[in-house]
Amino acid sequence: MESAFHLYGHELYISSSIGIALLDEHSPDVETLIQHADAALYYAKNEGRNNYQFYNQSLSQKKPELLKLEKSLRHALEYEEFVLHYQPRVNTVTGKITGMEALLRWYHPEMGIVSPNVFIPLAEESGLIISIGEWVLRQACKQNKAWQDAGYPPIVIAVNLSPKQFSQPNLVEILTDTLAETQLQPEFLELEITESTAIADLDFTTTALQCLAQMGLLLSLDDFGTGYSSLSRLQVLPFHNLKIDRSFIKEITIDPKVAHIIQAIITLGQSLGLKVIAEGVEKTAELEFLRSIDCDEIQGYLFYRPLSIDQATEVLKNEKA
Ligand code: C2E
Ligand code: MG
Ligand code: MG
């Protein structure tokens, strides 16, 4: 495979990843053998592609339910089984909606609603996340533009980007095309990447984010606190918003140490020019504490759960009134 292939005057290079399983006591029949070769193939791809790996028992075998889900995920876009829900976030002082986060839902014909925490990793692993992500982006931009055209106060729509989406080479092109197609101004689109995605390769992240910021998009650091990095390491990155993970917010009224840490994060974040958003606020006591320490915005069940398009539209209508 190393030599170039010539196709209609183009020189193409193809890399290959190979998974190998041997017919032995661990892989005794054809079906298991193929399953194990497949597991080894995933491993080879995870190891950076263009290599081969042998199956061994430590390669965690996927449960049959997951394999089944992964198979039906391949058709989910085509069968129109995806829906976006929108969770509003509000200004801590005024309670006014400042934006909505687009959250993907999969209605599986047999299994019902499947959580994104289950299917996003599968989509990521199989590469399906690229086409699913483009669909999410287009729907979210289209919806935000439709709300603006209907005369509702303009808000930001936030879309989550998985690690693979974030590192795809044509991300800027896809974003430019989607904004042009949907006629949404870039300042109304926010991209969320998680702390662990951001720190995986700081050089790459810096360059990519600078490009996106130059396009006029808003950038948000999601799930902050879960990636064990420090704000001082992240301050080189051109983020606009910092979203503190729910796992901390849950603790602020229980553990005084966590409360102090959150207070410090908010102060430091704001001094670096970031707007700080608390995720997963469920209790009035949490809101009161966050208000007392000047957290900018709140997203959580206390105000709104993720809403269907109709519910979200209704909420915007009331907001206007
Ligand atoms: P996330 O980006 O951190 O989104 C916030 C999650 O917290 C959502 O879960 C939301 O429903 C939940 N949440 C918000 N407020 C509360 C609260 O007060 N209490 C509790 N218990 N939960 C709250 P959801 O919708 O299940 O999404 C889970 C994760 O899946 C998201 O975490 C995000 O990482 C990923 N995800 C969702 N949609 C997409 C998508 O379109 N693309 C990609 N790449 N990832 C997505
Ligand atoms: Mg998010
Ligand atoms: Mg989050």
Side-chain angles (χ1 to χ4, degrees):
M1 298 298 264
E2 244 164 41
S3 9
F5 291 83
H6 297 277
L7 196 69
Y8 302 115
H10 295 280
E11 202 168 82
L12 299 180
Y13 290 89
I14 296 173
S15 68
S16 59
S17 307
I18 303 174
I20 304 168
L22 301 176
L23 194 68
D24 56 17
E25 73 270 29
H26 305 301
S27 314
D29 54 56
V30 175
E31 206 171 314
T32 332
L33 189 66
I34 291 175
Q35 247 177 39
H36 289 176
D38 202 37
L41 174 63
Y42 273 124
Y43 184 52
K45 285 183 177 171
N46 266 338
E47 289 296 288
R49 298 172 184 267
N50 214 18
N51 73 98
Y52 63 87
Q53 296 291 337
F54 280 91
Y55 173 79
N56 67 54
Q57 275 179 298
S58 71
L59 291 187
S60 62
Q61 266 174 274
K62 269 199 200 150
K63 292 194 190 120
E65 309 95 81
L66 275 189
L67 287 170
K68 205 174 141 199
L69 262 190
E70 193 177 286
K71 228 183 239 170
S72 39
L73 192 58
R74 292 186 188 280
H75 304 287
L77 258 188
E78 180 192 341
Y79 295 166
E80 301 184 356
E81 289 167 2
F82 288 123
V83 170
L84 281 187
H85 279 192
Y86 297 92
Q87 187 179 29
R89 64 174 198 240
V90 303
N91 179 293
T92 314
V93 178
T94 64
K96 285 245 175 276
I97 295 176
T98 56
M100 299 222 195
E101 177 171 7
L103 294 163
L104 190 56
R105 299 288 176 262
W106 178 20
Y107 289 92
H108 190 281
E110 289 155 33
M111 280 176 258
I113 298 185
V114 186
S115 159
N117 290 325
V118 174
F119 73 82
I120 297 281
L122 289 178
E124 178 77 5
E125 199 174 86
S126 57
L128 287 167
I129 191 70
I130 299 295
S131 47
I132 297 174
E134 279 182 43
W135 180 88
V136 170
L137 193 65
R138 196 171 332 110
Q139 295 301 314
C141 291
K142 227 201 267 176
Q143 187 57 57
N144 202 18
K145 178 70 175 142
W147 280 327
Q148 290 182 3
D149 288 348
Y152 300 123
I155 54 165
V156 166
I157 200 93
V159 171
N160 293 286
L161 289 188
S162 73
K164 219 171 242 172
Q165 288 176 278
F166 180 60
S167 54
Q168 62 183 314
N170 58 345
L171 180 62
V172 169
E173 201 180 315
I174 290 169
L175 287 162
T176 312
D177 289 354
T178 310
L179 289 172
E181 185 195 318
T182 58
Q183 297 280 298
L184 183 73
Q185 295 302 309
E187 67 264 33
F188 297 116
L189 175 62
E190 178 171 318
L191 301 176
E192 296 192 359
I193 65 165
T194 63
E195 183 189 357
S196 43
T197 308
I199 55 171
D201 179 348
L202 262 189
D203 287 339
F204 173 81
T205 305
T206 311
T207 322
L209 289 186
Q210 274 164 356
C211 244
L212 299 173
Q214 248 159 35
M215 284 178 66
L217 300 166
L218 291 170
L219 303 169
S220 206
L221 184 60
D222 202 358
D223 301 351
F224 182 71
T226 57
Y228 307 106
S229 58
S230 65
L231 265 182
S232 52
R233 250 186 100 199
L234 295 169
Q235 50 94 16
V236 291
L237 302 170
F239 280 109
H240 303 92
N241 299 334
L242 182 72
K243 299 186 86 172
I244 303 176
D245 194 67
R246 187 174 95 87
S247 52
F248 292 96
I249 304 302
K250 269 195 324 201
E251 300 286 319
I252 51 175
T253 52
I254 303 165
D255 186 343
K257 275 195 200 135
V258 175
H260 280 114
I261 292 171
I262 295 305
Q263 182 163 17
I265 289 177
I266 291 177
T267 309
L268 183 58
Q270 287 171 339
S271 74
L272 293 169
L274 296 164
K275 194 163 76 181
V276 184
I277 301 161
E279 286 193 292
V281 177
E282 292 185 353
K283 299 188 186 117
T284 315
E286 292 163 356
L287 170 67
E288 276 163 7
F289 176 70
L290 289 162
R291 208 178 258 155
S292 77
I293 57 170
D294 291 330
C295 181
D296 298 284
E297 294 185 6
I298 306 282
Q299 181 176 340
Y301 293 175
L302 180 65
F303 285 91
Y304 300 100
R305 286 179 176 259
L307 308 170
S308 69
I309 294 180
D310 288 348
Q311 291 169 324
T313 307
E314 201 54 38
V315 160
L316 286 177
K317 212 179 269 175
N318 294 335
E319 187 76 359
K320 203 179 157 191

